[in-house]
Amino acid sequence: MNDTPAPTPGKTLVHTEDLLEFAASLLEKGGLSAEHARTTADVFVWAARRGVDSHGTARVPAYLDLLAKGVANARPEITVESTTPAAAVLDADRAPGPVALTAAAEEAVSRARTNGIATVGVRRTVHAGAIGYYVSKIAEQGLIGIGFVSGMPNMGYTGVKGAAVATAPLAVGVPGGSRAPLLLDMATATIALGKIRQARASGTPLPEGAAATEDGTPTTDPEKAVMPLPLGGVKGSGMSLAFELLTGVLVGAPVFSSFHSDDPQGRKHRQNALLIAVDPSAFGDAGEFAEAVDATLGTLKELPVAEGASGVFYPGERSAALSAERGRSGVPVAPKVWRDLLERAQALGVVPPEPVGDAG
């Protein structure tokens, strides 16, 4: 009898809560506590609901590998250090990013409630996941969330041969009243590493100026591409370097300089982050601010639609609508990802959920 799960012909549709429980069970079997497993799974499913497949449930097998290899610490001793009410540093002790940054977001919100604004730096975490999740959590509390992450150099830098800086992301979440929050979630790279892998798997050429070979030569061939190029050339390069200063250097755990040194420990995977929470009530009436946000977004949406455009949208609007839709109908999981999840489930003794059906 062949115990290997059969290939899935199309995308498999799974209820959101079932997918969350499934991912959490796998991560708990991988060594995380039940609470940390649920927190980490929630970040993945949040991304999957919003259509960000590169940071969705496809990350579960990779996280299981990080835990198995000891790159991520399954039982971290997370500590918070602070010398001033509006700022703190959370030492993650190599905890998975979703665990560390979720705790940091909660800390930032708590401190901002008292001080109007709060900044929490995170040092020594492992793969932050979708940074938009954490600023969204801050925005859900009625506060403005801002986040930066920087880690291992895996992107070109203008004028440098080979990988130099990280594909450091930036996210901003601004709550309104009746509208979904504005959520700007972007990397400093022209294209995500996951998109390069997807293009390689499908044999699809990459856009001009998006990726490069190992020595930094731009290429559209996904078989030759190993790293993304910075967004806007010198602009993306400069942003990535700035985010390294705002995260790793600020919290006393620089990555860039140690990566490019002779110290072999410099190549050990790690990330740092900075989360900021701003309470609108510290600047005036919070209700009036929410109304003004809605009015601003409404003004944008009422502007004339350009020829060929499907509409005018603000950052995060369409992904929020997609999340709501998938919350009702289920989350589509790609064939390879579903197969990987089933294989892990079989190896770990986890019972997979019954799919809703084939998403095509």
Side-chain angles (χ1 to χ4, degrees):
M1 180 178 177
N2 184 3
D3 290 331
T4 303
T8 309
K11 288 188 176 181
T12 301
L13 202 61
V14 185
H15 280 305
T16 298
E17 189 59 34
D18 289 345
L19 189 59
L20 178 60
E21 292 292 343
F22 184 33
S25 296
L26 290 171
L27 291 164
E28 188 174 356
K29 286 287 188 178
L32 292 179
S33 68
E35 179 185 359
H36 286 178
R38 178 87 180 190
T39 296
T40 304
D42 195 51
V43 176
F44 296 153
V45 174
W46 179 89
R49 283 181 56 163
R50 298 177 75 94
V52 188
D53 294 335
S54 59
H55 288 69
T57 47
R59 302 304 308 176
V60 173
Y63 268 63
L64 290 172
D65 290 342
L66 290 174
L67 291 165
K69 295 174 182 176
V71 175
N73 186 357
R75 302 290 171 170
E77 294 184 10
I78 296 174
T79 58
V80 177
E81 306 164 5
S82 179
T83 58
T84 183
V89 176
L90 184 149
D91 191 299
D93 190 26
R94 295 183 297 107
V99 174
L101 270 73
T102 296
E106 293 172 352
E107 185 74 21
V109 168
S110 176
R111 288 171 179 263
R113 293 284 190 208
T114 303
N115 303 289
I117 185 170
T119 305
V120 178
V122 178
R123 66 170 169 240
R124 296 198 307 145
T125 189
V126 176
H127 197 278
I131 186 175
Y133 174 91
Y134 313 108
V135 300
S136 290
K137 286 297 181 184
I138 294 173
E140 285 175 6
Q141 299 299 313
L143 278 65
I144 297 166
I146 305 170
F148 309 92
V149 173
S150 192
M152 308 304 291
N154 57 359
M155 180 178 78
Y157 185 96
T158 303
V160 175
K161 182 179 180 180
V165 291
T167 55
L170 156 70
V172 180
V174 183
S178 60
R179 295 184 181 275
L182 177 142
L183 176 59
L184 174 67
D185 188 352
M186 57 173 282
T188 51
T190 301
I191 190 172
L193 277 168
K195 294 291 186 182
I196 295 176
R197 288 192 289 267
Q198 289 173 1
R200 188 178 300 133
S202 63
T204 306
L206 294 163
E208 290 281 352
T213 60
E214 189 171 2
D215 66 0
T217 303
T219 181
T220 60
D221 186 346
E223 293 295 334
K224 297 179 180 179
V226 299
M227 64 179 177
L229 289 170
L231 180 68
V234 294
K235 296 178 182 179
S237 294
M239 288 172 68
S240 178
L241 189 60
F243 295 170
E244 163 70 6
L245 299 178
L246 291 173
T247 58
V249 174
L250 185 63
V251 300
V255 175
F256 177 83
S257 55
S258 61
F259 179 90
H260 292 292
S261 72
D262 294 329
D263 183 1
Q265 290 297 310
R267 298 296 177 111
K268 188 174 181 179
H269 174 77
R270 64 220 187 269
Q271 291 186 336
N272 301 298
L274 185 74
L275 293 180
I276 303 169
V278 181
D279 189 348
S281 66
F283 295 80
D285 185 272
E288 290 180 1
F289 172 75
E291 290 176 4
V293 170
D294 280 356
T296 300
L297 300 179
T299 300
L300 172 74
K301 293 190 66 59
E302 291 171 1
L303 295 177
V305 179
E307 185 177 349
S310 59
V312 179
F313 305 95
Y314 62 86
E317 180 183 4
R318 283 180 288 188
S319 57
L322 180 61
S323 178
E325 177 189 325
R326 290 184 170 180
R328 295 186 296 268
S329 63
V331 178
V333 183
K336 183 182 182 302
V337 175
W338 185 243
R339 187 165 58 248
D340 287 349
L341 293 174
L342 292 181
E343 289 173 352
R344 297 297 180 127
Q346 188 174 71
L348 295 171
V350 173
V351 179
E354 286 293 331
V356 180
D358 188 346

